Amino acid sequence: MARGGWAVLGQRLEIRQGQGLVITPQLQQAIKLLQLSNLELEAFVEAELERNPLLQREDAEPGEANDALPEAVEASDRTEMSFEDGRSADAADAVDARADDVYGDAAPGERTSDRMSDEAQPGLSDWSRAGSGGGAPDGEGREQPDTREATLWEHLQAQASQAGLSAADHAIALTLIDMVDEGGYLRGDLAEVADRLGVEPARVEAVLTVCHGFEPTGVMARSVPECLELQLAERNRFDPAMAVLLDNLDLLAKRDLAGLRRLCGVDAEDMAEMISELKALTPRPGAGFGGEPAQTVIPDVHVRPDPAGGWKVELNSDTLPRLIMDKRYHGVVASGARTDTEKTFVADCAAQASWLVKSLDQRAKTILKVASEIVRQQDAFLAFGVEFLRPLTLKTVADAIEMHESTVSRVTSNKYVSTPRGVFELKFFFTAAIQSSDGGALHSAEAVRHRIRSMIDGEGRDGDVLSDDRIVELLKEAGIDIARRTVAKYREALRIPSSVQRKRMLQTG
């Protein structure tokens, strides 16, 4: 309404109702707990035990803890799932579906804690800084970027993902990378790897040959002579005389130069030059990378054959912190508190202890639930070997267990599973998938990249050069539905020039 051309301004109070997710400090902390490795979690729990007098480990004999603390809360009382004939048990039976939605996976209308204020849960410590997964989240729950230096293993894994390997060969490469020590050397028996993964030793050797092309040069060698040989070959300086020298490094260590000259068939000047070339090489190619020293992997989950058929999935109880809140002691100190400061401190400790026990319990159940679904999806790999590793995405697992994809991503980070075929990180079982054009089985991205490389490698035989559009057509004829821009992305990742550049190379070559 207006009077004399002027608008009338006023204030009024309105109440509106709507749905939305507010990321509380509790949710931030629970999310951080979920993505910690078992070693990081143990360090965090130790710090909380020192800080909170109401927390203690449940180290007593069975029955003794309950007698002393009748109101104790125990975490993770159900730690097993079974699969019969490749089918999963009902998730609602295996994992308590009524457990509180700590990670915010339920629908907004089902949540009861989205809008709990900081004052409603006082005394929460800054768990967001626990572990090495990044800095503290800001007011909107976003995590600060990870600025730490990449480790050698991360560097090698990134190269393996871009090497154009098939899904099976990529899995073999990841297994070999896990066997690399801090110096960059491969420690382990290839025959044993082949037996575990259900492939021929020659195939493992072939994948290792591909890995020997990774940077830094010389990485994943099995000995010092092989490491130096790879570096010399890159410099085009590996000849028969140098091969003999590498086979007799013990004589070089003894300074038996006369014996080396006789074996290599060179004079003193050539020998001095060869030794100078060796000194310019790097005997420990992995030493230039950051990160913590390699530690023995302790699996979070065990997978064993079930006598009744299928697979049994169990949490590793050794990696589960078993904490209780001493409610009897809480009653004693609460009744003895006199000042407001003392009462606030006791209330803070009680709130944090209760939330920590609850979060650890939900963390264990979530890990079990995700690992069990992965086993269900990849049971053919466990039974028959790496060739039967299925294309699998985080979204597939998340949809199957009705969780958010980000929750599944956090669960599979820094978590390991022990299987009859070895110990693997949970992320090992995820490979990108490409839809089939006929609605059939999915194709792994690694396998498609390998097929593209094979097509282009065969171009020179008939003089024809395949454009990206033609490659798309050929892949669709083979039942692979892929976009042209995806073909271009894969080709560039494989460091293959465009069709125009390849045509010029054929004409000039």
Side-chain angles (χ1 to χ4, degrees), residues 78 80-82 88-98 368-369:
R78 303 188 68 185
E80 180 179 312
M81 267 191 178
S82 295
S88 70
D90 191 330
D93 294 332
V95 176
D96 187 3
R98 296 170 298 176
L368 178 62
K369 194 172 185 179

Side-chain angles (χ1 to χ4, degrees), residues 153 236 258-259 271 302 326 340 354 356 498 501:
W153 300 275
N236 198 27
M271 177 56 62
H302 292 297
D326 192 341
D340 290 342
S354 177
L356 178 56
S498 66
Q501 293 173 317

Side-chain angles (χ1 to χ4, degrees), residues 132-151:
S132 58
D138 59 21
E140 297 180 0
R142 294 189 300 266
E143 296 177 7
Q144 294 178 356
D146 188 355
T147 57
R148 64 178 175 82
E149 185 179 357
T151 66

Side-chain angles (χ1 to χ4, degrees), residues 94 100 122 148-149 174 177 183-184 202 216 230 316 332 354 365 449 452 464:
D100 291 336
R148 64 178 175 82
E149 185 179 357
L174 293 181
I177 290 171
L230 292 170
N316 183 359
V332 172
S354 177
K365 290 178 179 178
R449 280 196 287 264
I452 292 173
D464 188 23

Side-chain angles (χ1 to χ4, degrees), residues 302-307 310-315 418-420:
H302 292 297
V303 176
R304 300 184 178 92
D306 193 329
W311 304 95
K312 181 175 291 186
V313 185
E314 302 171 326
L315 290 174
S418 173
T419 75

